Amino acid sequence: MSRAEAVRPVAPAVDAEALRRWGWTAASIVLLLALGGLVRYLDANVATWFPKVTWLKSVEFPVYAIAVGLVGGVALGALGLRERLGVAFRTEFLIKTGLVLLGASINLGIIARAAGPAIVQSIVLISSVFLISWWVGGRFGLDLKLRALLSAAVSICGVSAAIAAAGAVEAKKETLAYVASLVILFALPSIFIQPWLAQQLGLNHVVAGAWIGGNIDTTAAVTAAGSIVGDDALKIAAIVKSTQNALMGVVAVLLTAYFVFRVERVAGATVGLGALWQRFPKFILGFIAASALATLFINSSADQKAAGDIVAVAGTNLRIWFFILAFVCIGLEFRPAAIREAGLRPVAVFAIASIANLLLALLLASLLFSGFRLA
Amino acid sequence: MAKEPSVASAAATTPAPAGGLRINEDWAATFVGLVLVVLVLVGVIVKGMVP
């Protein structure tokens, strides 16, 4: 190597790499927004293209969003662009921002009144479904860490809970990736099946929302299914799901303690309560703060109808955009190959626990929310 | 025997991306959501601006 080559600065190469990264990020954001725009267009026009197909009028935006995302995901996979164009596909961030915005459309009084039954439902549901899943996992011979992740995912809030549980029990990354794939595999059909079941069972929107919030694992899928049923169902589903999310920290701490003291028997170990705060889903604070801000704004306005219309820009118009983008991401990120690689036993455990969750959540939602009024 | 990499140990040892700041997704969503709510309430974002 010549002396000139040895001292050549490397900055241009680094700049080119950074530029390329920014380029892919920008392309990813543009693609996501374009797909979101397509969803808006389809939602507004498909029913008018086929006036004789009456059921198309009841197809809500989450259906178009997920379908567009699935098709987009297949196209990106075929073109080999999925990894490079996936930078902006942030389902969790988009759904959580959408939920904070949803908070603005819910009166703080409703959150306060619904908190009681939501907490009772969440505690009974989480502990029962977790223990059922744990027991069934034992009968199927799954190892303890996989059982912990599966049980947390199916009983609390899907991928987020699996991540918290994986940290608590120090599970392998592959185990977490597998459980996350299982969660998506089960969540995707339930987005469509549960609203249909709620309609067949003649549930009112409040009970349907509590059922959806209590049963479906991922927060994104809960909001998609709630949106399909209607706005009232979505509000209750979001409150119930947020309550479950809030209890995730408690379960993570209990799991950490169980593995430290009972499974691994670490001498002199302690489990700090700081882990509770660390695993608390902070966006719930934003959800409550948005509700408080909007409630204060409406209550202190002379014209409460006009104030409500202003709040709806955040609580409805902007929120729907964030939800559309999140649902498109659900479709874009779906990878059936990840499921095929795993065995059938964990799928069976997850399926059994999901059925128990479905039935128990229906019972609790009917008992705790049948007399609940939103107005 | 070497311990297999776990989620907790990986999280503890993985450095932040070079030149980037890792922001917790929950806090980012809370911040963006609340900023949008405030912008709507003070009239910076109005209905006609949201397609």
Side-chain angles (χ1 to χ4, degrees):
Chain A
M1 188 192 304
S2 72
R3 186 180 161 79
E5 279 171 337
V7 295
R8 183 177 294 157
V10 291
V14 173
D15 284 350
E17 176 57 31
L19 208 61
R20 203 174 300 123
R21 224 174 24 235
W22 278 108
W24 282 114
T25 304
S28 177
I29 292 170
V30 169
L31 173 69
L32 187 57
L33 288 172
L35 292 178
L38 174 64
V39 170
R40 272 296 224 191
Y41 179 72
L42 292 174
D43 187 34
N45 292 297
V46 168
T48 61
W49 294 337
F50 306 96
K52 287 182 183 167
V53 189
T54 50
W55 59 265
L56 274 177
K57 285 179 189 152
S58 58
V59 176
E60 299 283 344
F61 71 87
V63 179
Y64 294 114
I66 292 167
V68 165
L70 285 170
V71 173
V74 171
L76 288 183
L79 294 168
L81 293 171
R82 197 196 275 267
E83 293 302 325
R84 277 180 286 186
L85 276 174
V87 190
F89 305 164
R90 300 293 178 122
T91 311
E92 291 280 313
F93 166 74
L94 293 165
I95 207 73
K96 285 169 182 173
T97 308
L99 283 170
V100 171
L101 290 166
L102 176 68
S105 72
I106 306 176
N107 186 291
L108 194 60
I110 292 175
I111 295 180
R113 280 195 294 120
I119 289 170
V120 173
Q121 174 170 324
S122 297
I123 290 173
V124 175
L125 207 52
I126 288 174
S127 36
S128 311
V129 176
F130 188 98
L131 292 174
I132 290 169
S133 173
W134 183 267
W135 180 79
V136 175
R139 304 290 295 178
F140 275 76
L142 303 188
D143 81 73
L144 280 174
K145 290 183 179 178
L146 179 56
R147 280 163 72 185
L149 264 66
L150 276 179
S151 304
V154 76
S155 66
I156 315 171
C157 51
V159 180
S160 314
I163 292 169
V169 306
E170 298 197 335
K172 283 188 285 181
K173 278 185 170 180
E174 294 76 23
T175 311
L176 176 58
Y178 171 62
V179 173
S181 304
L182 259 186
V183 167
I184 304 295
L185 177 76
F186 277 78
L188 213 52
S190 55
I191 290 171
F192 307 103
I193 292 171
Q194 215 175 333
W196 178 78
L197 277 177
Q199 195 184 21
Q200 298 307 307
L201 292 170
L203 302 182
N204 70 45
H205 283 194
V206 169
V207 174
W211 187 32
I212 286 166
N215 176 54
I216 297 181
D217 298 324
T218 73
T219 309
V222 164
T223 48
S227 302
I228 290 173
V229 175
D231 262 2
D232 287 351
L234 173 63
K235 287 174 184 173
I236 294 297
I239 293 171
V240 169
K241 197 71 215 170
S242 298
T243 310
Q244 282 195 356
N245 277 325
L247 292 171
M248 185 167 65
V250 177
V251 176
V253 168
L254 290 175
L255 269 177
T256 308
Y258 181 79
F259 272 76
V260 167
F261 297 121
R262 295 290 301 274
V263 179
E264 290 154 9
R265 297 180 185 278
V266 180
T270 57
V271 178
L273 284 179
L276 257 183
W277 170 246
Q278 193 192 335
R279 275 147 190 167
F280 181 82
K282 280 83 174 177
F283 77 92
I284 290 172
L285 301 177
F287 176 77
I288 296 170
S291 170
L293 274 173
T295 305
L296 189 70
F297 180 77
I298 292 173
N299 289 349
S300 60
S301 298
D303 185 350
Q304 296 199 345
K305 165 88 176 58
D309 289 344
I310 292 172
V311 166
V313 176
T316 305
N317 303 41
L318 280 173
R319 179 251 300 172
I320 285 176
W321 260 104
F322 275 90
F323 281 179
I324 285 175
L325 298 179
F327 301 155
V328 169
C329 288
I330 293 179
L332 283 167
E333 291 180 320
F334 182 65
R335 294 172 196 219
I339 302 293
R340 283 200 299 269
E341 288 163 9
L344 274 178
R345 281 180 307 149
V347 180
V349 173
F350 206 91
I352 292 168
S354 294
I355 291 167
N357 197 3
L358 187 80
L359 297 175
L360 203 54
L362 175 61
L363 177 71
L364 287 167
S366 304
L367 285 175
L368 294 164
F369 284 91
S370 57
F372 191 87
R373 295 284 172 269
L374 276 164
Chain B
M1 190 177 74
K3 196 181 172 189
E4 290 195 68
S6 69
V7 173
S9 59
T13 55
T14 306
L21 176 69
R22 275 193 78 85
I23 300 170
N24 179 301
E25 212 165 49
D26 276 14
W27 282 124
T30 301
F31 177 74
V32 172
L34 286 177
V35 166
L36 288 172
V37 169
V38 169
L39 290 176
V40 166
L41 296 186
V42 299
V44 174
I45 298 175
V46 293
K47 194 173 183 180
M49 291 166 68
V50 185

